[in-house]
Amino acid sequence: MKTPGKPNNTSWPELPTPDKWQETLDTVHLWSQIIGKIRLENMPWINHSWHVPLYVSSRGLTTSFIPHPSGGFEIEFDFLDHRLIVRKANIESVSFPLNSLSVSDFYHKTLDILDQMDIKTRIYPKPVELPDPITPFPENTDTITYNAEAIHRFWMALTQVNRVFIRFRSKFCGKVSPVHFFWGAFDLAVTRFSGRTAPKHPGGIPNCADWVMEESYSHELSSAGFWSGSGYGEPAFYAYAYPEPEGFKNAEINPKEAFYYEELGEYLLPYRVVSNASNPDRTLLDFLQTTYVAAAVNGNWDREALETKRIF
């Protein structure tokens, strides 16, 4: 039984390292890009590509409501029943199971459903933010063994991270992003802005137009997020500043297990440190706050104007 007043970390699930479920992870990543591209094609452009992400839902990941001339719609990954669900305003939903589908099968099933619901959409059929050689969605016919338990655990972790990120987000009254899931790199992120413009981003992201990165990083920012392991090797939290101010990488960051990873130019904190902590929320909030302060102090942000003083 939980002791009154003592944080309970049992709802922070243990996550496998990517090598334990790499096949499922890679495939769901590509599925999410298909759904994300559908949202991209049907949404008006919002600064910093805020019109393209997915969002954590009570059952998985969702596009949220997408406006459409024939009637708005929503697409959701249900990681409880392991189905993809397409809902259109004022009509019944259509779904199909996710178990062991190839990327090609998923692509065709999804677009066929949209056609049947009079939401005709065509997307650029090549994955983004992944290095070549890479196979277009319709041609990727490799079958997989879908690890339902692993993806369910990952989603449960997202629900906890999302909750803490929202709490962190609430302490900033300057421009701040929603907490959203970017399907390009398959990560949950939240970003604060100083209000000043930034130097032109150098681009160079695999299979991603440089102008996308230039627009996304048009203003100074401090960003934090969570990923399943890509880029590091195990599930981890990250934090970085753009442009990175002098002194940022040498700041004092909490908890002590956090470190600056030169290869990525980011601070990292392994997920297991948070999930195993006696107070996971506080441990993660310490990481988010101290990395933000490192960016804001060394970058000379106007913290007096940007930070919320009200106690909620």
Side-chain angles (χ1 to χ4, degrees):
M1 180 179 295
K2 178 183 174 183
T3 302
K6 182 178 180 181
N8 180 8
N9 67 353
T10 57
S11 55
W12 290 73
E14 181 179 351
L15 294 180
T17 55
D19 60 290
K20 303 297 185 184
W21 63 300
Q22 194 70 55
E23 190 176 61
T24 298
L25 175 58
D26 290 346
T27 302
V28 175
H29 185 179
L30 293 175
W31 291 349
S32 75
Q33 292 211 2
I34 293 168
I35 302 306
K37 284 169 178 274
I38 292 169
R39 183 168 194 245
L40 167 63
E41 289 297 319
N42 288 282
M43 287 287 290
W45 190 278
I46 300 175
N47 56 190
H48 313 300
S49 296
W50 290 357
H51 60 302
V52 306
L54 306 179
Y55 305 92
V56 177
S57 74
S58 61
R59 299 188 70 87
L61 289 170
T62 178
T63 59
S64 75
F65 189 75
I66 300 172
H68 192 272
S70 70
F73 68 102
E74 175 184 8
I75 305 177
E76 183 177 31
F77 286 99
D78 183 336
F79 293 134
L80 286 173
D81 291 338
H82 301 282
R83 302 185 69 86
L84 186 84
I85 306 170
V86 183
R87 302 182 182 94
K88 187 177 178 182
N90 208 34
I91 70 170
E92 291 185 5
S93 63
V94 180
S95 68
F96 60 82
L98 297 174
N99 53 308
S100 304
L101 283 176
S102 70
V103 172
S104 177
D105 287 341
F106 182 93
Y107 172 86
H108 288 296
K109 279 178 175 286
T110 302
L111 293 185
D112 285 349
I113 285 175
L114 294 182
D115 284 348
Q116 293 165 19
M117 301 175 91
D118 195 28
I119 312 170
K120 294 179 172 55
T121 301
R122 293 296 174 263
I123 64 174
Y124 177 61
K126 188 175 181 180
V128 297
E129 297 189 41
L130 296 172
D132 288 321
I134 197 160
T135 307
F137 303 130
E139 299 171 24
N140 189 340
T141 58
D142 295 340
T143 57
I144 67 156
T145 301
Y146 179 75
N147 189 332
E149 180 183 359
I151 196 67
H152 180 265
R153 282 176 173 267
F154 177 64
W155 163 67
M156 286 299 298
L158 287 178
T159 66
Q160 297 298 326
V161 176
N162 186 74
R163 177 178 56 78
V164 177
F165 278 12
I166 289 173
R167 181 176 171 189
F168 173 69
R169 181 184 186 274
S170 72
K171 303 302 181 182
F172 198 74
C173 58
K175 180 176 178 178
V176 58
S177 77
V179 178
H180 42 203
F181 190 87
F182 279 105
W183 39 266
F186 207 65
D187 61 329
L188 190 71
V190 62
T191 304
R192 293 174 168 185
F193 293 83
S194 74
R196 300 189 298 249
T197 57
K200 184 177 179 180
H201 193 279
I205 304 300
N207 289 300
C208 181
D210 286 349
W211 67 263
V212 174
M213 304 308 294
E214 291 166 9
E215 196 277 336
S216 295
Y217 290 88
S218 61
H219 288 69
E220 288 182 345
L221 57 81
S222 171
S223 190
F226 168 69
W227 56 29
S228 59
S230 55
Y232 176 54
E234 67 171 295
F237 299 95
Y238 65 79
Y240 64 90
Y242 182 80
E244 182 180 303
E246 184 177 351
F248 176 74
K249 67 171 65 176
N250 299 315
E252 184 175 338
I253 303 299
N254 293 327
K256 61 182 176 58
E257 292 88 350
F259 61 96
Y260 187 85
Y261 191 44
E262 290 281 354
E263 186 175 337
L264 294 175
E266 302 177 355
Y267 281 102
L268 295 182
L269 176 65
Y271 171 84
R272 55 183 162 78
V273 174
V274 173
S275 64
N276 291 331
S278 59
N279 189 331
D281 288 26
R282 174 49 53 194
T283 301
L284 178 52
L285 284 168
D286 281 350
F287 176 72
L288 298 173
Q289 180 65 17
T290 55
T291 52
Y292 157 70
V293 169
V297 170
N298 289 289
N300 296 312
W301 289 28
D302 186 353
R303 296 182 63 193
E304 183 69 22
L306 294 170
E307 296 174 18
T308 301
K309 305 299 187 296
R310 181 179 175 185
I311 303 299
F312 292 93

